[in-house]
């Protein structure tokens, strides 16, 4: 019985020692009793327990924000009209790419039923921009430099005729290409292809060997007269003469091969210039009235 009474007395003392509303505050230097310390720890633990659910509830919306779907990218981010336009554009580009690959394949493939029936359509698609020139590779790489040159016979102011020196048209094309990041197809291949066209349609005596001979000659003459328009010869050109200067490529220093690098010329006869040899814009040193 004494022990229970002692506990009741101690509990009553602890309750009476707690600050009551309206009591003056205790001095800061007054030590706290053991009972006050226990009571404060219990109240702090209860406070933390009560505040824990609130902190968990605060964290719940964050987990929901992390699970939000990522914004749409690419074509999915476009509106429906733009998606349709993009799909149509891709379809057109893909179709053109497939047609181009098919045309190039038929151009380089051996002769077959398709190329025999649609050869003109294939050549019209490939030439001149997409030509496949295999002379760059083995077994028959091109080992010569071919230059096309021209000299002109023109009329001076007193009515007499004079002849110019040989003008290297190929060197002029090379000078226009050198240092040009985007040279035109005309600067690179017009004169070269025109000369190849003429040589392949004529024999060694410069006689046409087929129906394309006259066409190739007319084509070359128009190209030459167009180039001569930029040269001030001193009068209108009456006749022109072409020649090719073919020079073999020198062997590399590490090779023992002996190659003759002296130029070989193929000289064509003189051609009289006619109105059909003047492309549009070429006046050939004459006035607008043609005098």
């Amino acid at each position: 019985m004494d022990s229970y009474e002692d506990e009741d007395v101690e509990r009553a003392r602890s309750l009476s020692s707690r600050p009551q509303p309206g009591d003056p505050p205790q001095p800061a230097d007054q030590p706290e009793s053991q009972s006050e310390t226990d009571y404060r720890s219990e109240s702090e633990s209860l406070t933390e327990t009560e505040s824990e659910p609130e902190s968990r509830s605060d964290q719940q919306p964050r987990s929901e924000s992390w699970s939000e779907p990522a914004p749409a990218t690419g074509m999915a981010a476009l509106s429906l009209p733009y998606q349709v336009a993009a799909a149509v554009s891709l379809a057109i580009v893909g179709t053109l790419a497939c047609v181009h690959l098919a045309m190039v394949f038929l151009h380089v493939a051996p002769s077959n039923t398709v190329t025999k029936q649609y050869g003109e359509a294939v050549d019209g698609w490939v030439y001149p921009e997409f030509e496949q020139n295999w002379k760059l590779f083995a077994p028959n790489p091109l080992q010569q430099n071919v230059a096309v040159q021209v000299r002109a016979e023109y009329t001076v102011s007193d009515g007499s005729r004079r002849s110019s020196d040989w003008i290297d048209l190929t060197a002029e094309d090379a000078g226009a290409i050198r240092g040009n990041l985007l040279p035109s197809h005309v600067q690179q291949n017009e004169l070269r292809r025109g000369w190849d066209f003429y040589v392949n349609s004529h024999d060694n005596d410069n006689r046409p060997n087929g129906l394309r001979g006259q066409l190739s000659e007319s084509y070359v003459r128009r190209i030459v007269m167009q180039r001569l328009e930029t040269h001030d010869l001193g009068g209108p050109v009456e006749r022109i003469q072409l020649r090719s200067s073919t020079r073999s490529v020198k062997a590399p220093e590490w090779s023992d091969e002996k190659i003759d690098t002296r130029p070989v010329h193929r000289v064509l006869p003189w051609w009289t210039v006619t109105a059909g040899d003047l492309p549009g814009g070429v006046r050939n040193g004459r006035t607008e009235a043609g005098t």
Side-chain angles (χ1 to χ4, degrees):
M1 294 297 292
D2 293 341
S3 61
Y4 288 111
E5 291 178 355
D6 294 337
E7 292 176 0
D8 293 339
V9 172
E10 291 294 331
R11 186 175 300 172
R13 288 179 180 177
S14 64
L15 292 175
S16 63
S17 63
R18 296 177 182 175
Q20 301 296 328
D23 292 344
Q26 295 181 358
D29 56 350
Q30 183 178 357
E32 295 180 353
S33 62
Q34 182 67 29
S35 60
E36 292 177 350
T37 303
D38 297 339
Y39 174 78
R40 183 171 296 177
S41 63
E42 291 177 0
S43 62
E44 289 176 356
S45 63
L46 291 174
T47 304
E48 291 176 359
T49 304
E50 292 175 357
S51 62
E52 184 176 359
E54 294 179 359
S55 62
R56 291 180 180 177
S57 61
D58 294 339
Q59 296 176 359
Q60 187 66 24
R62 295 182 181 178
S63 63
E64 294 177 357
S65 63
W66 293 342
S67 62
E68 292 180 357
T73 58
M75 292 184 59
L78 302 176
S79 60
L80 181 59
Y82 285 102
Q83 290 182 1
V84 174
V88 172
S89 301
L90 290 176
I92 294 175
V93 172
T95 302
L96 290 176
C98 293
V99 171
H100 177 69
L101 291 176
M103 290 294 188
V104 174
F105 172 77
L106 292 174
H107 176 68
V108 300
S111 179
N112 53 69
T113 304
V114 178
T115 55
K116 289 179 181 179
Q117 185 173 359
Y118 302 103
E120 294 183 0
V122 172
D123 291 342
W125 180 278
V126 173
Y127 292 110
E129 297 294 340
F130 308 112
E131 177 189 2
Q132 305 297 308
N133 188 347
W134 300 107
K135 292 183 179 180
L136 179 63
F137 306 100
N140 187 26
L142 188 62
Q143 299 179 354
Q144 295 175 332
N145 291 322
V146 181
V148 180
Q149 302 171 349
V150 62
R151 63 179 177 179
E153 187 179 270
Y154 57 93
T155 304
V156 295
S157 58
D158 60 0
S160 61
R161 290 191 178 186
R162 298 180 182 178
S163 297
S164 67
D165 296 330
W166 287 103
I167 302 173
D168 196 335
L169 302 179
T170 301
E172 293 181 355
D173 286 352
I177 295 172
R178 191 174 293 110
N180 188 353
L181 296 179
L182 298 174
S184 69
H185 179 76
V186 173
Q187 293 173 331
Q188 298 179 77
N189 297 315
E190 182 183 52
L191 180 63
R192 179 183 64 84
R193 292 289 298 162
W195 182 256
D196 289 344
F197 185 22
Y198 177 87
V199 172
N200 294 331
S201 58
H202 288 74
D203 57 21
N204 293 331
D205 295 327
N206 299 317
R207 291 191 298 263
N209 53 20
L211 299 178
R212 295 160 60 90
Q214 185 62 35
L215 176 63
S216 64
E217 179 180 327
S218 176
Y219 183 52
V220 170
R221 292 168 67 161
R222 290 171 66 87
I223 292 176
V224 172
M225 291 304 300
Q226 188 176 33
R227 302 297 177 88
L228 289 178
E229 185 72 6
T230 61
H231 294 266
D232 187 10
L233 299 177
V237 177
E238 305 296 339
R239 297 196 305 168
I240 58 175
Q241 186 179 29
L242 273 70
R243 76 176 184 183
S244 64
S245 177
T246 304
R247 188 189 301 269
S248 299
V249 178
K250 183 180 179 181
E253 297 180 357
W254 48 263
S255 176
D256 296 333
E257 185 179 4
K258 303 298 182 181
I259 297 178
D260 187 1
T261 59
R262 290 177 298 180
V264 178
H265 296 100
R266 175 176 178 174
V267 182
L268 274 58
W270 284 93
W271 290 333
T272 302
V273 177
T274 64
D277 299 328
L278 305 180
V282 176
R283 295 184 300 171
N284 190 21
R286 292 180 170 86
T287 62
E288 294 294 337
T291 58

